[in-house]
Amino acid sequence: MSSPQPSSVLRSPKLWIGSGLILAVVSTLFALLYVGGNVNPKGNLRDLPVALVNSDRGADNGGKHVNVGQQVVAGIEKSAAGNRSISWQTMTRQEADKRLGQGKLYGALVVPADFTTSVAGLTAAPQQGQGQAQAQGQAPQGQTQPQGQGQAQPQPARPTLTVLTNQSAGSIGSSMASGAAQKAAHAASAQLGKDLLGRAAGQGAQLAPAAKLMLADPVAVEVADGHPLGARSAMGLSAFYYALVLLVCGMLAANVVNSQVDNALGYLHTDFGPFRRRTPVRHTSRVRTLAVNTVIMLGLSVVMGSLVEATTVGLLDMDASHLGLLWLYSVATIAVVGISGLALLAVFGTPGMLLSTIVFIAMAVPSSGATVPLEALPGFFRTLSEFEPLRQLTGGLRSILYYGAQADAGLTRAWAAMGIALAVSLVFGFGMTRFYDRKGLHRIPRPEETADAAQEPVTA
């Protein structure tokens, strides 16, 4: 009887169904996670932290101290009472600068110290008996300007509100915060304009058209960078891309080390083009195999982490400081991710590669909060971000690259997460492989086991 042709596997329902189910799950899962997390950031936006700073010193008016900045802040808080999209946090300018420099705020709206004085200057400008010409510094018809005076009278300084952005916390989050702050500032200007026009009308003041236009929208809104970054920081995304490189390096290193060790032990063959090489099998325990993989991973993580930093900082001139700490962080990240991947491969075998891809890529990227802020993600992804590695790694790198390596700017959380991940991976990996060894679940039956099985009598 002739043996089946190799092409007959194409007629195997098991091959088609098995492969199809795996790929269907992977493609659906990636689509759900990647697109589902980012498809509607404005609709999912909840409690985006933005500072509300009133530095206004106020001014005395008619024996009464007036602080227009407090009125602006109170109006913004009142209008935002039923809206959970933005979390307006009232604080001092010093505290706002500190939190912007830790990545804990996406932006700020600042009322300057002379705000009340500037507003009072608008209403103190000449309003009666002089038309638009005098407002422009020209004398009324039939009169001459006194000697020594310029052609234009001093114009009142227009009050300003400053919107601070923070790209270091994420470009999209900073843009959302800036948009909300500018909208609130313009709304406050419109409300203040109504009050000023109403006050002028109550006093019977005759306003020129230009003066009416200025009083209708009296506040200028300026946008400034609350925590400036270097030009080679990828607009606040260099930490995310660097963290993603470390994560991918660790995951791929685990696959490479695992296959290379299996080749060296004879469990797998190696193909070089049309040539195949296979070494004799060296029977060893699963625990020992994982230990060998771990030692190699630790050694190669030093090489990979060094090359990643040398390439990005040295060759590509990425903005970076604390280079020694950055090197240690890079090596540790690759080592921890690689050992975690090796544990999954040792326990689950070939499916461990798929699990690594899902854990380290599919679920990690959309829950990292690096591109779309966590506050703009659905609740499921916010939950994932509590333990998914990329969020922790990006936070630590932001601290090193942007925030002077402050411990409470994400660095402590990152080191703690790496320590927990390493401990869990070692306990899980070595615990399960030891269990397999004690149960006699060897990867390839040992010669003595094969001989014993052949000598067993066959019973009816």
Side-chain angles (χ1 to χ4, degrees):
M1 173 183 275
S2 61
S3 60
Q5 294 294 322
S7 59
S8 63
V9 297
L10 293 174
R11 296 193 296 270
S12 171
K14 183 178 179 180
L15 176 64
W16 283 96
I17 294 175
S19 301
L21 286 176
I22 294 173
L23 296 178
V25 170
V26 170
S27 57
T28 303
L29 189 62
F30 267 82
L32 285 174
L33 292 174
Y34 270 58
V35 180
N38 304 313
V39 70
N40 187 20
K42 288 187 177 181
N44 295 318
L45 187 63
R46 293 292 183 276
D47 300 325
L48 189 76
V50 180
L52 196 54
V53 179
N54 179 28
S55 301
D56 189 9
R57 293 188 299 263
D60 293 328
N61 185 8
K64 182 180 179 182
H65 188 75
V66 178
N67 192 305
V68 182
Q70 290 181 354
Q71 300 174 16
V72 170
V73 170
I76 293 175
E77 291 177 333
K78 181 179 179 181
S79 62
N83 187 350
R84 289 193 55 195
S85 298
I86 304 297
S87 175
W88 295 103
Q89 301 178 8
T90 305
M91 61 186 69
T92 64
R93 178 61 187 268
Q94 183 179 7
E95 180 65 19
D97 289 339
K98 178 182 177 181
R99 293 175 68 83
L100 285 168
Q102 294 174 333
K104 296 179 179 179
L105 291 173
Y106 289 94
L109 177 59
V110 180
V111 182
D114 62 345
F115 190 74
T116 298
T117 304
S118 299
V119 172
L122 294 179
T123 57
Q127 296 175 347
Q128 296 183 357
Q130 300 177 358
Q132 184 177 1
Q134 188 173 8
Q136 295 175 348
Q138 299 176 358
Q141 187 175 3
Q143 297 183 12
T144 60
Q145 292 183 338
Q147 295 293 327
Q149 292 187 1
Q151 294 299 318
Q153 295 182 359
Q155 295 296 316
R158 191 178 184 189
T160 61
L161 293 174
T162 303
V163 174
L164 299 180
T165 61
N166 190 13
Q167 283 192 338
S168 66
S171 299
I172 294 180
S174 177
S175 176
M176 288 180 167
S178 176
Q182 290 185 59
K183 182 178 179 181
H186 287 298
S189 177
Q191 181 59 48
L192 182 59
K194 290 181 180 178
D195 295 341
L196 294 177
L197 289 174
R199 191 181 310 166
Q203 295 174 352
Q206 300 296 322
L207 299 177
K212 288 183 178 181
L213 287 176
M214 173 173 281
L215 289 183
D217 186 17
V219 179
V221 180
E222 298 179 350
V223 180
D225 197 340
H227 185 74
L229 295 178
R232 304 187 69 84
S233 295
M235 299 178 67
L237 289 175
S238 58
F240 166 67
Y241 289 123
Y242 195 100
L244 186 60
V245 168
L246 297 179
L247 190 70
V248 172
C249 285
M251 186 185 71
L252 294 180
N255 293 326
V256 171
V257 169
N258 184 73
S259 62
Q260 290 298 310
V261 170
D262 281 350
N263 290 333
L265 295 176
Y267 289 108
L268 292 177
H269 63 263
T270 305
D271 288 331
F272 295 97
F275 305 104
R276 169 172 293 186
R277 186 187 70 182
R278 183 161 190 170
T279 59
V281 177
R282 304 180 190 180
H283 292 280
T284 186
S285 66
R286 293 177 181 268
V287 170
R288 188 172 298 172
T289 302
L290 180 57
V292 171
N293 287 339
T294 301
V295 171
I296 296 176
M297 186 70 244
L298 289 173
L300 293 181
S301 64
V302 176
V303 177
M304 298 178 70
S306 302
L307 290 174
V308 169
E309 180 172 341
T311 302
T312 54
V313 179
L315 184 61
L316 300 177
D317 195 26
M318 182 185 76
D319 289 327
S321 58
H322 304 278
L323 298 183
L325 179 59
L326 180 62
W327 175 83
L328 180 62
Y329 191 91
S330 303
V331 172
T333 298
I334 293 176
V336 172
V337 174
I339 292 172
S340 301
L342 288 172
L344 291 175
L345 289 167
V347 173
F348 296 104
T350 302
M353 186 182 302
L354 180 60
L355 287 174
S356 295
T357 303
I358 293 174
V359 172
F360 294 126
I361 301 297
M363 294 194 300
V365 173
S367 64
S368 66
T371 51
V372 177
L374 296 177
E375 293 80 5
L377 295 176
F380 171 73
F381 293 92
R382 298 192 199 189
T383 302
L384 283 181
S385 69
E386 294 299 323
F387 58 86
E388 272 295 327
L390 192 54
R391 186 259 175 118
Q392 331 304 330
L393 298 178
T394 302
L397 281 167
R398 279 176 172 168
S399 176
I400 296 173
L401 297 178
Y402 308 150
Y403 307 134
Q406 298 180 70
D408 55 352
L411 190 56
T412 298
R413 180 188 177 101
W415 283 120
M418 276 196 273
I420 294 172
L422 179 61
V424 170
S425 298
L426 291 175
V427 170
F428 176 67
F430 283 101
M432 291 301 298
T433 51
R434 180 174 175 80
F435 172 77
Y436 293 162
D437 288 338
R438 293 183 64 181
K439 290 293 185 179
L441 301 173
H442 303 299
R443 300 179 67 185
I444 297 178
R446 298 175 183 273
E448 59 271 18
E449 295 172 345
T450 304
D452 292 341
Q455 293 175 4
E456 291 181 359
V458 179
T459 59

